[in-house]
């Protein structure tokens, strides 16, 4: 008898941002395959399960995708209830499409359980709304690190009334800046980057398209971070830069919004 695979969103880090459904499935799982962006703290919810770490962080050695897919199929065919725990939401830059295709091809049942994506957590952590009736009529979730040859039409995005939420953008910040400037985006466009959103060590930097590179370098912004770009960030960017100026005397460049409890 076949088991089933659940592609489960682990949320951005704060265990309280896990859904109740994800918590229940973890408690019922026979096997859990966990990404390195999904917090290990969540493993306390599945003491009964066999846990397999399948880290895939950009630039580092990681478990090959084909191997993960084979493992999912194998475990489900053994009759196991398998939870594939992914950081944030599985359907956003989580290679869920490839895993679903592999499971479909093998005739294995699969279900997605959504999670809170890093971009949503980042906006929440700075008290910002991603849409704004006057400035942002939509949101685009983008990766600065697409598959080889994948082309994003930055010119169209630069002129669109969308808030741009850029994942995997830290090492590509230079290209991102020049593409958006070439695309016609104003150099004064407000930008807020959030590193480790929803974690206790979260850091936030408010800047503009003109100054983003120097500001990111000054604070040595690191992955994982999301870069949120657009007029909807204006009032929060202003509030955050005022806060960081006030703190400059204490050499604190970042405004910290790590925890609201
Ligand atoms: N499926 C995930 C995204 C995976 S891609 C989601 O929905 O959130 C990995 C990228 O996500 C990182 O490079 C970073 O850009 C972003 N990311 C993941 N967790 C993050 C966090 N806690 N804070 C900021 N960015 C994060």
């Amino acid at each position: 008898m076949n088991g089933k695979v659940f592609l489960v969103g682990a949320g951005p880090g704060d265990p309280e941002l896990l859904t109740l459904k994800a918590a229940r499935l973890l408690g019922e799982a026979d096997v859990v395959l966990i990404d390195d962006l999904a917090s290990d703290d969540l493993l306390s919810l599945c003491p009964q399960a066999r846990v397999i770490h399948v880290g895939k962080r950009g630039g580092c050695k990681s478990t090959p995708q084909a191997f993960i897919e084979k493992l999912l199929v194998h475990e489900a065919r053994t009759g196991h209830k398998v939870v594939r725990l992914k950081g944030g939401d599985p359907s956003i830059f989580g290679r869920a499409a490839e895993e679903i295709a592999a499971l479909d091809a093998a005739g294995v049942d699969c279900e997605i359980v959504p999670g809170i994506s890093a971009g949503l957590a980042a906006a929440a952590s700075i008290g910002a709304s991603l849409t704004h009736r006057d400035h942002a009529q939509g949101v685009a979730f983008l990766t600065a690190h697409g598959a080889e040859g994948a082309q994003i039409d930055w010119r169209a995005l630069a002129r669109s009334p969308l808030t741009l939420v850029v994942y995997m953008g830290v090492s590509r910040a230079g290209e991102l800046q020049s593409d958006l400037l070439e695309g016609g985006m104003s150099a004064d466009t407000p930008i807020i980057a959030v590193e480790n959103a929803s974690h206790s060590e979260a850091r936030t930097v408010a800047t503009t398209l003109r100054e983003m590179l120097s500001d990111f370098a000054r604070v040595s912004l690191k992955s994982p971070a999301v870069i949120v770009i657009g007029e909807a960030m204006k009032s929060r960017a202003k509030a955050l830069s005022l806060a960081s100026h006030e703190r400059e005397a204490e050499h604190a460049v970042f405004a910290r919004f790590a925890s609201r409890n």
Side-chain angles (χ1 to χ4, degrees):
M1 202 189 72
N2 262 358
K4 183 168 174 178
V5 174
F6 295 85
L7 303 181
V8 176
D14 177 352
E16 285 194 349
L17 294 177
L18 189 76
T19 63
L20 293 174
K21 186 164 188 175
R24 176 176 62 75
L25 288 168
L26 279 168
E28 295 169 2
D30 300 304
V31 185
V32 173
L33 272 71
I34 184 168
D35 264 0
D36 53 11
L37 274 174
S39 168
D40 274 352
D41 294 348
L42 300 177
L43 296 178
S44 62
L45 296 169
C46 54
Q48 79 295 344
R50 181 156 47 91
V51 175
I52 306 170
H53 283 84
V54 286
K56 289 192 64 61
R57 185 131 349 156
C60 299
K61 265 217 152 135
S62 61
T63 315
Q65 183 64 27
F67 177 78
I68 295 174
E69 288 160 19
K70 277 199 183 126
L71 198 57
L72 290 172
V73 169
H74 169 77
E75 292 293 344
R77 282 193 172 151
T78 318
H80 289 145
K81 189 165 193 171
V82 184
V83 166
R84 169 82 169 103
L85 194 60
K86 290 166 177 280
D89 182 89
S91 70
I92 298 194
F93 311 129
R95 302 193 74 167
E98 289 148 75
E99 290 173 17
I100 293 164
L103 293 165
D104 275 353
V108 171
D109 253 12
C110 164
E111 184 178 327
I112 298 182
V113 178
I116 295 180
S117 191
L120 302 178
S125 74
I126 53 177
S129 170
L130 289 172
T131 61
H132 189 293
R133 277 173 69 81
D134 301 327
H135 311 302
Q137 277 72 43
V139 184
F141 296 102
L142 303 155
T143 173
H145 224 103
E148 198 84 13
Q151 290 289 334
I152 291 184
D153 187 349
W154 292 104
R155 179 172 292 267
L157 288 168
R159 290 162 188 237
S160 74
L162 303 177
T163 301
L164 309 184
V165 182
V166 182
Y167 292 64
M168 295 170 268
V170 177
S171 62
R172 295 275 171 94
E175 284 135 291
L176 183 64
Q177 182 193 45
S178 52
D179 285 341
L180 289 172
L181 286 170
E182 275 167 31
M185 184 177 272
S186 159
D188 294 322
T189 304
I191 293 183
I192 300 179
V194 184
E195 179 186 299
N196 278 314
S198 92
H199 291 255
S200 52
E201 65 274 27
R203 301 196 300 164
T204 302
V205 62
T207 180
T208 59
L209 185 55
R210 182 187 294 107
E211 275 143 8
M212 62 183 269
L213 281 191
S214 51
D215 280 343
F216 290 175
R218 188 159 53 92
V219 298
S220 48
L221 185 73
K222 287 187 194 62
S223 180
V226 283
I227 303 170
V228 188
I229 304 168
E231 288 304 317
M233 292 302 107
K234 198 169 191 161
S235 60
R236 293 313 297 155
K238 212 166 166 182
L240 289 172
S241 12
L242 285 178
S244 71
H245 276 132
E246 276 164 22
R247 282 171 217 186
E248 238 154 49
E250 302 155 31
H251 306 288
V253 190
F254 276 107
R256 286 177 187 273
F257 284 77
S259 159
R260 292 186 171 230
N261 350 327

